[in-house]
Amino acid sequence: MTETDSRDIRWIFLLLAAYFVLQIGVRLATSHSLDLDEAEQAFRSQWLAAGYGPQPPFYNWLQYTVFQFTGVSLAALSVVKNFLLFISYLLYGLTARLLLRDKALVAISTLGLLTIPQMVFEMQRDLTHTVAVFFSASIFFYGFIRSLKQPSLASYLIAGIGIGFGLLAKYNFAILPAAALIAALADARWRARIFDWRLVLTAVVALIIVLPHLFWLKDNLDFATARTLEKMTASGDASYLKQVTMGVSSLALAIISFAGLTVAVFAIVFGKSLRPALTAGSEWTRLIERMMLVFLIGILFLIVFGGAAGIKDRWLVPMLFILPLYFCLKIEAAGVTTGRAFRHFMVAVAIIMIGVPAALYGSVAAARFTGHYERLNRPYATMLENLRKQAEPMAILAGDSLLAGNLRQDIPGVPVLSVDYPGFHPDLAGRRPLLLVWLIPPKGGSEALPPAMAQWLQANLGASAPEGLVIDVPYFYGRGDDRYRFGYAWINQPG
């Protein structure tokens, strides 16, 4: 880096801002249809609640608030996600600047987040709550490091905000502040920072933020945790030993999946000069190592005593997002020269910044050549436009939340219900005609009204099942005359 660059790292944030603006543009250009998490946000934005189900409500609250000003749209969804990601990278960079003297390593650690597939690709592809976890973890980690190095009321306040947001993002976030607390207590130099009266401010702020959801959680604990526990403990009739083996194996694979590319990029970029860093360390690397160890023990505890059999790589975000910074701290501790490695690293960053948006767009657009269709290829908007020519629905019942969210985007003034989510039940009295819509699987799916939808009609409206009809619409980026089929029916259709 030049001397000017070494004194000024603002270019990193300008580069990242441009990248996330590009990602917004690519998402808007790819498809008007919504993927699973996007559709969930659109569907659940119809009401404000202290809790919505298996995931805590931070992202729902944020997206609901934005929709109040902008209306429900793909643009609003994409802007919120990429704004959170940008702020997360910004805070990560500020944390790196607190700990690293070499500004080249500040840049490498910050841009090193782009080498983590779950963060650079999966978060753009569909994830929302995991984005909120990363955002919260970045806030907390910045406040935590500042409280250790430059303690102030503001630093403890920031840590409390991060904890509060994190617990409202995903419940497994709790392991991060617990790991940080234990890791800091293990070092005599930092115990005074933990036994500081300002830590009370951290706890109070976090509690105030999560309190509304805690009241809801008290009465809905099974509803909030059943689905997550089901995913974690899905080992069938396996013996205890086999379940533990499955859990440990899935954890090992998750770590490799999460960290493998980052390790490879650092190894290639730094080459043989990376070897001294393997044994080098500092007070900060040892702190992070203790945090990672506590985090790992916490997950192993869930496997051995909680019955967890399947650990997902994205569940590691609250801890392993620190990995690029950890590597850079060890590299600096070893006194490794960074000039040449920085230039090589920026080549890798350029490839990622161009390749990821291209892959996201190409995975959908390539269907016109391959005939392999993603959820974003489904023509929800075209289907609804055609059905509205038959009659203007006053309410819609969808077969699942994915379909409900996509319909909600294009007819925001009409209540859209979903058979798979009983928590939203507006008064439908006088709202006729009622449009029923469901997905028909491409290969041999039944065209008839789904039994669950018929049961819903009988239980909630006392209505008998109407005759099911089919509408087929060309895919987005469809090959030839390929079409997607939707089932639909009307209740009390005029004429």
Side-chain angles (χ1 to χ4, degrees), residues 107-147:
I108 290 172
S109 64
T110 306
L111 298 174
L113 291 168
L114 296 171
T115 66
I116 302 175
Q118 290 71 18
M119 305 181 77
V120 69
F121 186 83
E122 294 297 334
M123 286 188 183
Q124 287 291 348
R125 189 179 64 85
D126 187 35
L127 302 178
T128 54
H129 299 287
T130 304
V131 171
V133 168
F134 175 38
F135 173 69
S136 306
S138 298
I139 295 174
F140 167 74
F141 193 58
Y142 175 65
F144 173 63
I145 295 299
R146 272 194 57 179
S147 296

Side-chain angles (χ1 to χ4, degrees), residues 286-489:
R286 289 187 287 272
L287 173 72
I288 293 174
E289 286 163 0
R290 291 194 295 270
M291 289 176 63
M292 290 182 178
L293 178 61
V294 173
F295 188 85
L296 180 62
I297 291 172
I299 295 179
L300 289 173
F301 187 91
L302 287 175
I303 293 171
V304 175
F305 299 105
I311 304 299
K312 305 291 185 183
D313 50 23
R314 63 178 178 273
W315 296 351
L316 305 180
V317 167
M319 189 67 244
L320 292 191
F321 82 104
I322 303 174
L323 206 57
L325 175 57
Y326 170 69
F327 287 159
C328 288
L329 285 167
K330 289 184 73 67
I331 289 167
E332 184 167 83
V336 175
T337 303
T338 58
R340 183 180 178 186
F342 173 77
R343 291 190 293 273
H344 291 167
F345 187 83
M346 289 307 298
V347 173
V349 167
I351 292 171
I352 292 170
M353 284 186 159
I354 296 171
V356 169
L360 290 166
Y361 179 80
S363 65
V364 179
R368 69 169 77 245
F369 307 108
T370 65
H372 175 75
Y373 298 104
E374 305 287 345
R375 284 185 289 267
L376 295 187
N377 291 109
R378 296 176 185 172
Y380 302 103
T382 310
M383 172 270 292
L384 181 60
E385 181 183 358
N386 290 341
L387 292 181
R388 292 177 75 177
K389 293 175 181 178
Q390 298 180 16
E392 193 66 29
M394 298 303 293
I396 299 175
L397 176 63
D400 58 39
S401 296
L402 172 63
L403 179 54
N406 274 278
L407 296 173
R408 161 77 172 154
Q409 179 186 202
D410 291 304
I411 190 166
V414 171
V416 181
L417 295 80
S418 176
V419 172
D420 67 0
Y421 190 84
F424 179 54
H425 37 75
D427 184 10
L428 297 183
R431 285 192 170 273
R432 298 293 185 275
L434 171 64
L435 173 62
L436 315 179
V437 188
W438 60 96
L439 304 175
I440 299 177
K443 296 181 179 180
S446 172
E447 299 177 358
L449 184 79
M453 190 170 279
Q455 294 170 9
W456 190 99
L457 290 172
Q458 183 61 45
N460 291 274
L461 302 179
S464 57
E467 178 187 359
L469 303 170
V470 175
I471 180 172
D472 60 344
V473 188
Y475 282 102
F476 291 137
Y477 307 102
R479 182 177 65 175
D481 195 38
D482 288 357
R483 305 170 81 85
Y484 192 85
R485 298 190 304 158
F486 299 88
Y488 75 98

Side-chain angles (χ1 to χ4, degrees), residues 153-398:
L153 271 176
S155 67
Y156 283 87
L157 174 65
I158 292 169
I161 292 172
I163 294 172
F165 284 176
L167 294 175
L168 287 178
K170 273 185 180 288
Y171 300 122
N172 69 340
F173 179 88
I175 302 180
L176 174 59
L181 180 66
I182 295 171
L185 285 172
D187 192 317
R189 290 168 296 181
W190 286 324
R191 284 176 198 152
R193 302 286 190 259
I194 302 301
F195 296 114
D196 190 303
W197 69 268
R198 288 170 291 194
L199 190 66
V200 175
L201 175 65
T202 301
V204 169
V205 168
L207 180 61
I208 290 173
I209 291 173
V210 303
L211 201 57
H213 182 62
L214 285 179
F215 284 121
W216 178 90
L217 191 63
K218 176 177 66 71
D219 298 323
N220 297 272
L221 188 60
D222 289 342
F223 181 44
T225 59
R227 183 179 170 189
T228 300
L229 291 174
E230 181 182 352
K231 288 180 180 179
M232 290 177 60
T233 59
S235 57
D237 298 324
S239 66
Y240 173 72
L241 181 59
K242 185 175 181 181
Q243 171 263 309
V244 171
T245 302
M246 291 171 61
V248 173
S249 299
S250 68
L251 173 59
L253 288 174
I255 293 173
I256 293 170
S257 173
F258 196 99
L261 180 60
T262 303
V263 172
V265 169
F266 272 78
I268 292 170
V269 165
F270 284 92
K272 294 181 180 179
S273 63
L274 192 62
R275 290 178 183 174
L278 297 177
T279 55
S282 67
E283 58 183 350
W284 299 110
T285 62
R286 289 187 287 272
L287 173 72
I288 293 174
E289 286 163 0
R290 291 194 295 270
M291 289 176 63
M292 290 182 178
L293 178 61
V294 173
F295 188 85
L296 180 62
I297 291 172
I299 295 179
L300 289 173
F301 187 91
L302 287 175
I303 293 171
V304 175
F305 299 105
I311 304 299
K312 305 291 185 183
D313 50 23
R314 63 178 178 273
W315 296 351
L316 305 180
V317 167
M319 189 67 244
L320 292 191
F321 82 104
I322 303 174
L323 206 57
L325 175 57
Y326 170 69
F327 287 159
C328 288
L329 285 167
K330 289 184 73 67
I331 289 167
E332 184 167 83
V336 175
T337 303
T338 58
R340 183 180 178 186
F342 173 77
R343 291 190 293 273
H344 291 167
F345 187 83
M346 289 307 298
V347 173
V349 167
I351 292 171
I352 292 170
M353 284 186 159
I354 296 171
V356 169
L360 290 166
Y361 179 80
S363 65
V364 179
R368 69 169 77 245
F369 307 108
T370 65
H372 175 75
Y373 298 104
E374 305 287 345
R375 284 185 289 267
L376 295 187
N377 291 109
R378 296 176 185 172
Y380 302 103
T382 310
M383 172 270 292
L384 181 60
E385 181 183 358
N386 290 341
L387 292 181
R388 292 177 75 177
K389 293 175 181 178
Q390 298 180 16
E392 193 66 29
M394 298 303 293
I396 299 175
L397 176 63

